[in-house]
Each structure stands twice: as C-alpha cells, then as structure tokens.
Amino acid sequence: MNKSIRFRTFAIATVIAFSSLGLVSAPAAQASTPGASTCRVIDPRATAEGYGDGRVCDGNITGTVHDTRADGRCPYVRIFFTVGGWWDSPWAGGKGKAVNFAGYHPGEYTGAEMRYISC
C-alpha cells in the first residue's frame, strides 16, 4: 500500500471515529461561492424568560431577542466565539417586547445561550 492510499485510509478512519463520538459536525449555513461570506445561524435554546435568533456572518452579528413573560426578568442572547470570549445582545424588557441587535466580534462563532437580568 503506498503512502497516499494509507494517508487517505487513515484520514477517512479518523473522521469516521470522531464523527461517531460527536466531535466532528458539518458547518451550518455556509456560503457556496468562494470569497462570499460565511454565515452561521444563532439559535439558542428558548427559556421561560424569552428566546432569540439571528446570524453571524464573518463576525457581523444580527438578530432579535424576545421577552415572553411579565416576570421582572429581561432576556438577552450571549454569543460565544473562539477568540475573545463572547458578545452580549441588548436585553428585551416587558412581556411581548422584542429588540433587534447588531454588532461585530472577531473569531469563529461557537454557540449561543439565553440569559436574563433583573429589570
């Protein structure tokens, strides 16, 4: 077996092994043309206080956070990146209120979660 075939066999076996452990996943919502922006969907799990959604495209963040309860808690979205930690959206206050957000953060998007503050 030559080196090229052994390397491909090793690479395929490695991907299969990591995939079965859940360590490899396909990137979400990437652009298809070279040079185009790469976008990821922000979809944190909804909480009793509210929910949020949006996108991160090459560090540009856009989305909306919604307050679903009159409980004195104002939800916001915390978005995590590989470089520099996280970015917090503005919070939405008052049941039924929604706030649009936009910002920028370098690094690759890695996830998001809903949080809240007392307001």
Side-chain angles (χ1 to χ4, degrees):
M1 193 182 283
N2 70 32
K3 287 183 181 180
S4 177
I5 292 173
R6 277 189 288 176
F7 177 76
R8 281 185 277 184
T9 303
F10 173 76
I12 291 169
T14 302
V15 169
I16 291 170
F18 282 125
S19 295
S20 67
L21 295 173
L23 300 176
V24 174
S25 62
Q30 288 193 1
S32 60
T33 56
S37 66
T38 301
C39 296
R40 302 283 306 269
V41 174
I42 301 168
D43 191 20
R45 185 182 334 209
T47 63
E49 293 77 31
Y51 65 96
D53 53 35
R55 295 168 54 110
V56 177
C57 298
D58 294 331
N60 295 302
I61 306 162
T62 58
T64 307
V65 60
H66 305 263
D67 190 344
T68 57
R69 234 174 166 179
D71 58 2
R73 296 176 178 175
C74 294
Y76 65 96
V77 179
R78 177 163 283 179
I79 304 165
F80 296 96
F81 294 87
T82 56
V83 176
W86 64 84
W87 183 90
D88 289 338
S89 75
W91 43 269
K95 182 179 180 178
K97 301 287 184 186
V99 174
N100 293 325
F101 58 83
Y104 178 82
H105 194 287
E108 185 178 336
Y109 167 79
T110 59
E113 67 184 17
M114 292 301 300
R115 293 185 163 218
Y116 68 87
I117 63 166
S118 296
C119 56

